[in-house]
Amino acid sequence: MKFLVILSALVALCAGHAIPTIPGDNSHYVEGESRYVWIPDGEGVPRLVDLEEPAVGSPLDARNGANNEYWLFTRRNPNNHQLLRINDNNSVRNSNYDRNRPLMVIVHGWKADGNTALNPLIRDALLHVGDNNVIVMDWRRAASSAYTTSVRDVPSVGQHLGNFVQWLINNHGGNWNNVHLIGFSLGAHIIGNAGRTVRRRIGRITGLDPAGPQWSDNPNVLNRNDGVYVENIHTDGGLLGIFNPIGDADFYPNGGTNRQPGCSLSGCSHGRAFEFFASSIIYNGFNGRRCANLDEARNNNCTGSNLRMGNTDFSKRGTGLYGLSTGSSWPF
Ligand SMILES: *[C@@H]1O[C@H](CO)[C@@H](O)[C@H](O)[C@H]1NC(C)=O
Ligand SMILES: *[C@@H]1O[C@H](CO)[C@@H](O)[C@H](O)[C@H]1NC(C)=O
């Protein structure tokens, strides 16, 4: 009996440490146990991540938030960004920043940059529905490290974003209630740290499948106290995304896990979060129903009160878990 227990423990250990061979296939992955996981880069190409690789350097080194870039887009410059710099008044005065209009900030994930797919998709949707100040934050320096190092740098990158937004509003105007931070994967935890830095004044925070690996017991994880209203969209829960609710309102489209409709691999399900959100900006067509508990959310049979998923409504409020079904291709 003892032998069997030891044997099964060994088998579990080996399974947890085996190198997965099919690129992008995370069917082996068990949160908190598996050593390896496939995480897609900004172009959706799966990269093999060793979750036990030690983070390199110090959080104070060059690969942190000091290298963030803030790219402003408006309807007057929808395709070519204007670079805004903290403590550089002229960079804002000479730009199309308009203090009387909402401010939305888009934050990408690991191995990505300001040009990768989710940025133009969400940017164009935001400019389609309103003459907004849309800032794409490029944090490629810290995002290009090993995954474990990028995770370590998330608080620094987020604090710099928070300080930048505070400086922008204090010196050039703006309304905290009309600020919406939008972050995908690791970017979701970055905007959480930004919100904490400015003492929860951000009107809306939207986490798009907040990253799961190394976040389940990480104190820097996005949480419901980071902004006035914090919403999450979970699409690859338990694999690349966190499954547990961490916002005021947490949406679980199609059960919140892999496989999302039209997807076969977990990376595709993970990316659905930002595609659903982009669609919600334009069409506001996702009607969530409140779930009594996480099991109902997982089984996609929630039948409670209604709440729209996503969108750009600054007066939106809600609490709890919500389920809904979507289509398998744009606009879902
Ligand atoms: C930047 O502008 C703000 C207000 O417009 C002003 O209070 C501040 O002193 C300026 N900073 C610098 C470095 O000129
Ligand atoms: C929800 O789905 C699960 C699994 O399919 C099922 O066991 C349960 O009875 C369903 N609950 C309701 C209220 O339909």
Side-chain angles (χ1 to χ4, degrees):
M1 187 59 203
K2 220 176 207 168
F3 171 74
L4 275 179
V5 171
I6 292 168
L7 186 69
S8 55
L10 270 176
V11 168
L13 197 66
C14 292
H17 283 64
I19 298 184
T21 50
I22 306 169
D25 182 357
N26 283 327
S27 54
H28 67 284
Y29 182 76
V30 180
E31 199 169 295
E33 278 180 35
S34 302
R35 174 165 178 177
Y36 296 97
V37 63
W38 295 98
I39 304 184
D41 63 20
E43 303 301 337
V45 177
R47 308 281 193 107
L48 186 62
V49 166
D50 176 356
L51 295 170
E52 291 179 11
E53 182 173 347
V56 295
S58 121
L60 301 174
D61 75 11
R63 301 173 82 81
N64 66 14
N67 296 301
N68 294 349
E69 286 194 358
Y70 306 97
W71 300 357
L72 175 71
F73 297 90
T74 70
R75 280 188 172 177
R76 291 168 67 193
N77 61 308
N79 299 306
N80 298 311
H81 71 259
Q82 297 171 325
L83 186 63
L84 306 184
R85 287 190 205 84
I86 189 166
N87 299 330
D88 179 350
N89 282 335
N90 283 335
S91 75
V92 182
R93 286 199 196 108
N94 297 334
S95 79
N96 295 327
Y97 178 73
D98 185 339
R99 66 173 67 195
N100 297 312
R101 299 193 179 280
L103 170 63
M104 284 93 163
V105 183
I106 306 167
V107 181
H108 61 76
W110 184 65
K111 293 273 190 223
D113 60 50
N115 295 313
T116 42
L118 88 158
N119 297 291
L121 183 70
I122 297 177
R123 176 200 68 194
D124 291 353
L126 291 170
L127 293 177
H128 176 79
V129 296
D131 195 356
N132 298 307
N133 300 292
V134 178
I135 290 178
V136 166
M137 186 179 94
D138 181 302
W139 62 284
R140 72 179 73 185
R141 278 290 292 280
S144 63
S145 308
Y147 180 77
T148 48
T149 303
S150 297
V151 168
R152 195 272 322 272
D153 284 346
V154 157
S156 162
V157 173
Q159 285 153 16
H160 277 79
L161 170 59
N163 289 333
F164 171 79
V165 171
Q166 183 158 272
W167 171 81
L168 182 65
I169 291 181
N170 286 351
N171 290 280
H172 298 279
N175 178 345
W176 285 104
N177 294 321
N178 292 343
V179 178
H180 190 166
L181 306 185
I182 299 151
F184 169 61
S185 197
L186 279 189
H189 303 302
I190 288 173
I191 61 176
N193 283 271
R196 241 164 284 169
T197 302
V198 298
R199 301 186 302 280
R200 309 166 181 179
R201 286 185 288 188
I202 305 285
R204 269 195 75 173
I205 286 185
T206 300
L208 303 172
D209 211 29
Q214 300 202 310
W215 289 99
S216 50
D217 53 7
N218 188 327
N220 299 314
V221 68
L222 169 65
N223 72 64
R224 63 182 55 84
N225 297 316
D226 290 338
V228 177
Y229 172 66
V230 179
E231 178 176 307
N232 295 298
I233 300 177
H234 302 266
T235 51
D236 193 35
L239 295 179
L240 298 178
I242 220 161
F243 187 71
N244 283 334
I246 53 174
D248 292 304
D250 285 77
F251 286 82
Y252 295 88
N254 311 297
T257 57
N258 190 49
R259 305 166 171 174
Q260 292 292 318
C263 289
S264 55
L265 295 173
S266 122
C268 170
S269 295
H270 191 43
R272 278 289 192 264
F274 71 75
E275 296 176 313
F276 291 161
F277 181 68
S279 169
S280 82
I281 295 168
I282 300 172
Y283 302 104
N284 196 18
F286 297 119
N287 188 33
R289 302 291 303 269
R290 190 159 183 174
C291 318
N293 52 53
L294 209 46
D295 276 337
E296 260 193 35
R298 192 191 313 266
N299 293 319
N300 196 18
N301 55 12
C302 307
T303 53
S305 57
N306 300 294
L307 187 67
R308 294 269 153 180
M309 178 174 81
N311 78 32
T312 54
D313 177 3
F314 280 107
S315 60
K316 184 180 186 182
R317 296 291 181 271
T319 54
L321 318 179
Y322 293 84
L324 67 150
S325 298
T326 73
S328 58
S329 62
W330 182 266
F332 306 102

